[in-house]
Amino acid sequence: MAESIQAIRGMNDIVPESTLYWQYIEDVLREIARNYGYQEIRFPIIEHTELFERSIGVVTDIVSKEMYTFVDRNGDSLTLRPEGTVGCVRAGIQQGILHNQVRRLWYLGPMFRHERPQKGRYRQFHQFGVETFGLPGPDIDAEHIFMINRLWNILGINDQIVLQINSLGTKETRVLYRDDLVIYFKKNINELDEDSKRRLNTNPLRILDSKNPNMQSVILHAPKMPDYLDEESKIHFDKLKCLLDAAQIHYEINPRLVRGLDYYCCTVYEWIAEKLGAQNALCAGGRYDDLVAQLGGKATPAAGFALGLERLAEIVTAQKTIESTPDVYLITVGEIARQRGLLLAEQLRDKLPKLCIITSCSSGGFKTQFKHADKSGAKVALILGDKEIEQNIITVKYLREDKPQVSLKFSEVIKLLEKFD
Ligand code: AMP
């Protein structure tokens, strides 16, 4: 036997038993997006590498070591998208749909990062993302948080998730903060691990994200972003907090929440589900008011969030059971019945379009087919054999109810099945 070829490490197959959960989550997400007046946008999975370098930042982990970058046959450097915001902004600018207007957009699809795979961290993963353009106030930040909160409520998982918020202020305040942070960490250089020493010169804010237990004390005493906020950012942040309080959404202020991408400013937040273990961030977002201009568009205030579907599916799967069973399983015995059976199934589908009808396609004798019917979870089995053909009837056998089997005419069968429709 030939050796089988395995999937690429960190890239998952999602089997039918799992897609039931994914479809359920995706349906809820689409419905929420519609409720809030968001429209779907689709953009390519591959973009020019420069797009990500220019926006996410060349010193960030994503760009410096996690991108799937390759040279195509034309010699162009291309990259599989590591996240959605940047492609969405690029598409919005190119299509001219951001200029001088308010846009509420959403997308859903695969993202690619060459990270070290572990539970909850994959190299191909899926995000549902929302991006809003043209709204500068804290009310849109609050709307995004309300949307996500509504999602947790509908899924029944709100008690498992905690919201952390912070403000990164403007670009100018972040520069001041960054300088002071570097001075502080340089003074305490002996307490930093190798990774953080490297980040000191590239991305010092990310040192605050370190999970190294030996560094927690030096991080705890580091200068704090909120002490550096300019007046405008402070007011924006206070207003957001008021809106969340008014909606009774519980949150924690985490002054060390900095996010891994360069383009964020002002409001940032993360929803954490402790239950997920080491990779416990479920959803993250914030404002990125400079990004549209940075990518060549006219300056446009913007905000958004992205939600990891693998992690959410894990929580929902542990929370509830979703099964998919057919309504009807059609058993046919004999050559004539086999042909008639397929047509009968078509007629049933014409009359009862919502029903799920599986035909046995005569795989095996009556006993085998009956076993399959029972295993499928179908509510009833319809049996078509020589006797039925001769008498122009169909035998109905209840598989989940303790009722005697009956032989009925087509019109009577339709009536009987209508209750499942
Ligand atoms: P980010 O784009 O890094 O802010 O991530 C947003 C969300 O996407 C996270 O909160 C996770 O739920 C999910 N996510 C990010 N990276 C991965 C990954 N490598 N594997 C699975 N989910 C991920």
Side-chain angles (χ1 to χ4, degrees), residues 113 115 120-122 125 127 259 261 281-284 306 308 311:
R113 293 182 198 171
E115 295 191 81
R121 187 162 74 189
Y122 309 106
F125 59 98
Q127 286 185 338
R259 311 280 303 112
L261 304 90
L282 191 53
C283 176
R311 295 181 195 178

Side-chain angles (χ1 to χ4, degrees), residues 81-289:
R81 64 184 187 192
E83 54 101 66
T85 303
V86 173
C88 180
V89 171
R90 197 271 310 134
I93 297 170
Q94 188 172 338
Q95 301 306 324
I97 59 168
L98 305 184
H99 189 52
N100 271 346
Q101 50 196 307
V102 171
R103 279 283 178 179
R104 287 178 160 88
L105 305 174
W106 69 270
Y107 57 83
L108 190 158
M111 308 295 161
F112 304 84
R113 293 182 198 171
H114 197 279
E115 295 191 81
R116 200 166 44 79
Q118 55 171 264
K119 185 172 162 294
R121 187 162 74 189
Y122 309 106
R123 289 181 171 172
Q124 174 176 313
F125 59 98
H126 298 74
Q127 286 185 338
F128 169 81
V130 150
E131 316 291 353
T132 306
F133 301 93
L135 294 167
D139 23 16
I140 192 63
D141 305 356
E143 178 175 295
H144 289 167
I145 291 174
F146 291 173
M147 281 175 92
I148 309 164
N149 191 61
R150 186 170 295 276
L151 172 70
W152 307 152
N153 280 325
I154 293 173
L155 299 178
I157 57 173
N158 43 327
D159 57 340
Q160 300 175 36
I161 300 160
V162 173
L163 170 63
Q164 297 189 344
I165 59 173
N166 192 23
S167 176
L168 299 179
T170 60
K171 223 196 267 167
E172 293 74 31
T173 50
R174 234 169 25 259
V175 169
L176 284 180
Y177 177 58
R178 192 192 139 109
D179 289 348
D180 278 7
L181 211 54
V182 170
I183 293 169
Y184 168 81
F185 281 129
K186 275 194 175 153
K187 258 195 228 154
N188 295 280
I189 192 100
N190 293 333
E191 310 215 20
L192 301 188
D193 59 19
E194 285 313 307
D195 220 20
S196 299
K197 279 182 190 155
R198 186 177 51 80
R199 286 197 166 129
L200 197 51
N201 299 316
T202 55
N203 201 357
L205 265 67
R206 283 304 302 278
I207 299 176
L208 301 171
D209 266 352
S210 169
K211 301 248 160 53
N212 184 344
N214 301 329
M215 281 178 46
Q216 293 314 304
S217 168
V218 70
I219 290 173
L220 190 70
H221 297 104
K224 294 188 175 50
M225 186 71 225
D227 298 333
Y228 289 74
L229 284 189
D230 56 290
E231 206 45 38
E232 206 180 314
S233 301
K234 246 188 228 159
I235 293 170
H236 186 109
F237 197 44
D238 285 343
K239 282 187 181 161
L240 173 64
K241 286 186 280 185
C242 281
L243 288 165
L244 298 182
D245 290 337
Q248 294 184 334
I249 291 181
H250 181 70
Y251 57 87
E252 293 169 2
I253 296 173
N254 178 359
R256 294 194 300 274
L257 182 67
V258 293
R259 311 280 303 112
L261 304 90
D262 268 5
Y263 54 64
Y264 280 109
C265 63
C266 202
T267 309
V268 287
Y269 52 88
E270 227 165 65
W271 299 79
I272 308 288
E274 285 302 337
K275 214 178 155 180
L276 287 172
Q279 301 301 319
N280 60 8
L282 191 53
C283 176
R287 297 202 65 86
Y288 51 93
D289 294 323

Side-chain angles (χ1 to χ4, degrees), residues 323-331 356-359 368-381 399-400:
E323 285 170 335
S324 160
T325 52
D327 299 296
V328 177
Y329 195 100
L330 181 64
I331 295 172
C356 170
I357 300 167
I358 295 188
T359 60
T368 313
Q369 291 186 48
F370 192 75
K371 253 192 222 156
H372 289 159
D374 197 34
K375 207 169 157 214
S376 76
K379 298 182 184 93
V380 295
L399 298 174
R400 314 290 142 203

Side-chain angles (χ1 to χ4, degrees), residues 16-26 313 316-318 320-323:
E17 287 68 24
S18 304
T19 51
L20 288 176
Y21 292 86
W22 283 69
Q23 285 168 355
Y24 164 64
I25 293 169
E26 289 168 11
V316 172
T317 306
K320 66 185 286 168
T321 305
I322 306 176
E323 285 170 335

